[in-house]
Amino acid sequence: MITYGVMELAPGAFHLKQHLSLPQQRAVVESCRALIDGAVPGYVPVVRGGGKMHVRMLCLGRHWNGTTYRYEEARSDYDQLPVPPLPTGLRELARNIAAAAEMKLDPDLCILNYYGADGRMGLHQDKDESAESLAAGVPVVSISLGDTARFLFGGLRRRDPVQPVLLESGDAFVFGGPARLRYHGVSRIVPATAPPELGLDGRFNLTFRQY
Ligand code: SIN
Ligand code: MN
């Protein structure tokens, strides 16, 4: 039985509204801040073709290289620093969220993104994990904190219609199985919608994956 409060948007795609309590959100926000301003800091990736992304990114566990679209141990597209480990507590949290949607994830990497007021992310597929992981439909678990995002959830082809979903602070989103390769993106952030208790301007999003 799927936990109460879990909405299935499409086969394999689940929106878990208000899944994290405010104290949980506060704790994860504190981790995100410490990580993104830590010894190996977040940065704005420049992707293939030379465009800058509209988020500040930090990879944990494995580094996603924005020019090769491959994972690696050190940030060869930026400063050569080794990728920080994925903290155990975050890993456990993501595993439990997947289980709440009746899916199995043992994440070994997470991409942490910070969106300012003008943050956004174009429509894309998450398809740089191993062929085995993608073929098995091992889910991506996403956690949203701070300002609300207008998330777009599409189909398996770029031209398929997209469904707008408001991802609010404390929401989780899980997409695996037949939904694993659906296109998705963030069209905009709704400024000043973060719970005041978080003291956060903007939005953190964490996406956990299993390579
Ligand atoms: C992503 O697709 O990598 C990020 C999604 C989000 O920010 O909600
Ligand atoms: Mn993605």
Side-chain angles (χ1 to χ4, degrees):
M1 239 254 311
I2 289 169
T3 315
Y4 177 78
V6 179
M7 292 201 314
E8 189 166 12
L9 260 71
F14 304 90
H15 185 186
L16 291 72
K17 285 192 183 196
Q18 298 294 298
H19 193 74
L20 273 68
S21 68
L22 208 45
Q24 272 181 310
Q25 292 177 46
R26 205 181 288 146
V28 180
V29 165
E30 282 322 307
S31 304
C32 292
R33 278 199 236 269
L35 286 162
I36 214 158
D37 291 323
V40 180
Y43 70 106
V44 177
V46 174
V47 290
R48 219 183 260 173
K52 269 192 181 181
M53 289 186 77
H54 299 274
V55 294
R56 192 169 165 222
M57 178 179 288
L58 176 68
C59 301
L60 306 166
R62 287 177 195 259
H63 176 70
W64 178 78
N65 181 318
T67 59
T68 62
Y69 289 24
R70 289 177 186 273
Y71 287 102
E72 57 193 17
E73 296 304 312
R75 316 201 297 187
S76 74
D77 58 330
Y78 186 61
D79 55 8
Q80 320 304 322
L81 290 176
V83 63
L86 175 59
T88 316
L90 290 178
R91 186 174 176 170
E92 199 54 41
L93 177 63
R95 203 185 269 149
N96 291 336
I97 290 170
E102 296 204 313
M103 290 209 171
K104 197 173 175 330
L105 171 70
D106 186 14
D108 51 11
L109 75 106
C110 171
I111 301 183
L112 166 61
N113 287 313
Y114 171 77
Y115 295 74
D118 56 358
R120 60 192 151 88
M121 191 174 291
L123 217 55
H124 66 278
Q125 290 171 297
D126 288 359
K127 59 175 183 188
D128 301 327
E129 295 71 36
S130 72
E132 295 74 24
S133 179
L134 297 176
V138 179
V140 173
V141 163
S142 150
I143 297 175
S144 295
L145 298 158
D147 286 340
T148 299
R150 188 169 183 273
F151 178 70
L152 302 177
F153 195 62
L156 295 173
R157 295 167 307 180
R158 185 178 286 280
R159 63 178 182 277
D160 287 342
V162 297
Q163 182 175 355
V165 179
L166 290 177
L167 292 182
E168 297 180 340
S169 194
D171 287 6
F173 196 87
V174 181
F175 54 105
R180 180 60 175 77
L181 289 174
R182 280 186 179 243
Y183 278 86
H184 59 278
V186 172
S187 60
R188 69 183 198 95
I189 299 301
V190 191
T193 47
E197 295 86 342
L198 297 181
L200 178 63
D201 260 346
R203 170 179 188 253
F204 282 123
N205 175 263
L206 303 103
T207 50
F208 297 87
R209 307 128 194 257
Q210 188 174 324
Y211 182 79

